[in-house]
């Protein structure tokens, strides 16, 4: 019989004075990274061909504008896929709780998105179980909500993606100890 050791969890919780920091590294999905790297390699082949045609001027007259718009759209899509690859490999979510604010950052290599919310406007702090949300499937791609949620004015804010339900319940208890309602 094999006995499984209990896990510590993925989130790192640090308390410094009145601040609490929760750092959750992204889930490393090697299949997704390998698939997207291969996809990105094949995706870049037509893009380099169009750039070469535009630079050399081999496009036929009357069609100069279409390849330019196509190149812009193709580049934006490639940049999105590259950001997913970087997010899965090096991304993390940092939740900072202060006496008056909660700050949620999703970043990789120090670059990313950050949002701040007034604690006085935060209501109904809760766990969000898997399958309860439409964007649960997007978490694997680095998008979507997470396992914790709260209501802020007239919208629901979801965060703490990449953790299990039991770890979400633990983090919710830690946050409630600090006065979150």
């Amino acid at each position: 019989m094999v006995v499984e050791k209990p896990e510590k969890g993925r989130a790192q919780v640090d308390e410094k004075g009145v601040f609490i920091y929760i750092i959750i590294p992204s889930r490393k999905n090697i299949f997704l990274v390998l698939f997207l790297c291969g996809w990105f390699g094949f995706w870049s082949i037509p893009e380099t061909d169009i750039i070469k045609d535009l630079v050399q001027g081999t496009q036929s007259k009357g069609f100069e504008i279409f390849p330019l718009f196509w190149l812009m759209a193709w580049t934006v899509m490639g940049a999105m896929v590259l950001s997913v690859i970087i997010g899965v490999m090096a991304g993390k979510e940092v939740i900072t709780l202060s006496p008056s604010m909660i700050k949620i950052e999703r970043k990789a290599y120090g670059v990313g998105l950050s949002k701040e919310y007034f604690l006085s406007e935060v209501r109904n702090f809760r766990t969000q179980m898997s399958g309860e949300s439409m964007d649960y499937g997007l978490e694997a791609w680095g998008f979507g909500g997470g396992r914790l949620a709260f209501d802020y004015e007239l919208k629901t804010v979801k965060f703490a993606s990449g953790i299990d339900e039991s770890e979400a319940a633990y983090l919710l208890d830690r946050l409630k100890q600090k006065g979150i309602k």
Side-chain angles (χ1 to χ4, degrees), residues 43-56:
W43 185 262
S44 64
I45 292 169
E47 186 166 25
T48 56
D49 288 344
I50 288 292
I51 291 171
K52 184 177 76 171
D53 288 347
L54 288 172
V55 169
Q56 292 176 351

Side-chain angles (χ1 to χ4, degrees), residues 20-39:
I20 186 167
Y21 300 94
I22 301 171
I23 302 167
I24 305 169
S26 64
R27 283 204 186 268
K28 308 303 184 241
N29 185 339
I30 193 68
F31 172 75
L32 178 65
V33 170
L34 290 175
F35 172 78
L36 289 178
C37 284
W39 181 90

Side-chain angles (χ1 to χ4, degrees), residues 19-110:
F19 293 94
I20 186 167
Y21 300 94
I22 301 171
I23 302 167
I24 305 169
S26 64
R27 283 204 186 268
K28 308 303 184 241
N29 185 339
I30 193 68
F31 172 75
L32 178 65
V33 170
L34 290 175
F35 172 78
L36 289 178
C37 284
W39 181 90
F40 188 75
F42 285 112
W43 185 262
S44 64
I45 292 169
E47 186 166 25
T48 56
D49 288 344
I50 288 292
I51 291 171
K52 184 177 76 171
D53 288 347
L54 288 172
V55 169
Q56 292 176 351
T58 57
Q59 292 289 323
S60 60
K61 296 295 179 195
F63 290 102
E64 296 95 1
I65 197 81
F66 173 75
L68 194 58
F69 284 113
W70 182 89
L71 181 64
M72 287 188 298
W74 205 260
T75 302
V76 166
M77 187 63 178
M80 288 174 56
V81 169
L82 192 59
S83 71
V84 169
I85 293 169
I86 292 170
V88 169
M89 293 304 296
K92 63 183 171 183
E93 191 169 5
V94 180
I95 299 111
T96 306
L97 179 68
S98 71
S100 62
M101 304 280 285
I102 184 166
K103 181 178 179 182
I104 301 168
E105 299 174 276
R106 290 183 174 104
K107 58 186 178 178
Y109 299 116

